[in-house]
Structure formats: C-alpha cells, structure tokens
Amino acid sequence: MASRLNPYLSFGGDARQAMEFYKEVFGGTLKLNTYGEYGQKDTPDADKIMHAMLETSNGFTLMGADAPPGMELTPGSNFAVSVSGDDDAELRGYWEKLSAGGSVSVPFEKQMWGDVFGMCTDRFGIAWMVDVVQAQS
C-alpha cells in the first residue's frame, strides 16, 4: 500500500451522519468502525464512530471519527492531516520529523486496533496523525 496524505475530521458525536452526508456529496465507498468493535462494547460510546473512511472514484479520501471521551473538541480546529501506509521506516521517519519540536498527544506505538499510530502537533501548530497499517491476517 502506498502512503497517503488526507484530511482527518473530528466530530462531537455526529460522525456517522456527517460521513454519510459526505458520501452523498462525493459518492464512493464508506467504511465505518465503532468504538464498540474495538473493546468498548458496554460503554455509552459503543455506537460512536472510532474511524470512518470515504474513498471516491475521483481519488478523494476523507477520514473522520467521533472524538474519544475526554478529548476536547473545538469547532474550527477539529481536523488533522493524516499520513498512513504500510512502510514502517518511511512513516516512522515522518513521525520523528513532524513531532520534533512540537507536542505529542498520542505516543507513536501499537494501538488496540493493531496499527502503530501517533498524534502530534508540529512546531507550527498543525495537528498530524501518523498510522502504520498492519497487514491483515
């Protein structure tokens, strides 16, 4: 899988409705995963969207999710730039450079869904998400 760069939007509980709306606007294929699918089955957030990805025939990719519990969501700054792929060395290099001199909000490490993932804000105030996709078995 080649690395990709795309916007990642954060929502306050209406990610499903927003991503379905964007699918109506742009067309394409929408995949939705809930928090319940990844270990939070018996919580109030079980049906909220942990990750959504819309891919269109025009080559657009839009990702989004409901903000996790405890994460502050500020309208107008509720997005990040996502860099993802399966080349660990390439993506780890991006992470090291993007996080240097900035702040790390999620350490770059293996996550509950199996990928190596981290979130940081670079020294210019831009939010980034870096995800090394693990091979599906």
Side-chain angles (χ1 to χ4, degrees), residues 92-107:
R92 199 168 289 276
Y94 295 151
W95 171 260
E96 292 301 324
K97 292 173 185 173
L98 289 166
S99 62
S103 63
V104 172
S105 54
V106 175

Side-chain angles (χ1 to χ4, degrees), residues 8-131:
Y8 201 107
L9 309 176
S10 295
F11 300 94
D14 56 356
R16 180 183 305 274
Q17 296 90 330
M19 294 302 292
E20 288 172 349
F21 169 72
Y22 299 136
K23 181 179 188 253
E24 289 177 21
V25 172
F26 298 112
T29 303
L30 177 61
K31 295 179 187 172
L32 300 169
N33 297 104
T34 65
Y35 283 99
E37 293 174 66
Y38 289 94
Q40 297 182 24
K41 289 181 183 176
D42 299 322
T43 70
D45 298 313
D47 291 331
K48 288 186 178 179
I49 302 301
M50 184 176 146
H51 178 69
M53 182 165 68
L54 175 64
E55 294 182 290
T56 75
S57 59
N58 290 348
F60 298 165
T61 300
L62 182 62
M63 295 182 189
D66 286 312
M71 186 175 197
E72 187 176 327
L73 184 66
T74 306
S77 63
N78 52 333
F79 67 92
V81 181
S82 170
V83 183
S84 58
D86 59 7
D87 187 326
D88 184 81
E90 176 184 49
L91 292 158
R92 199 168 289 276
Y94 295 151
W95 171 260
E96 292 301 324
K97 292 173 185 173
L98 289 166
S99 62
S103 63
V104 172
S105 54
V106 175
F108 192 65
E109 59 191 20
K110 191 167 185 105
Q111 301 296 325
M112 69 177 121
W113 62 90
D115 294 358
V116 174
F117 172 85
M119 292 174 62
C120 68
T121 300
D122 70 21
R123 61 190 176 117
F124 300 103
I126 304 300
W128 292 88
M129 301 171 131
V130 179
D131 186 67

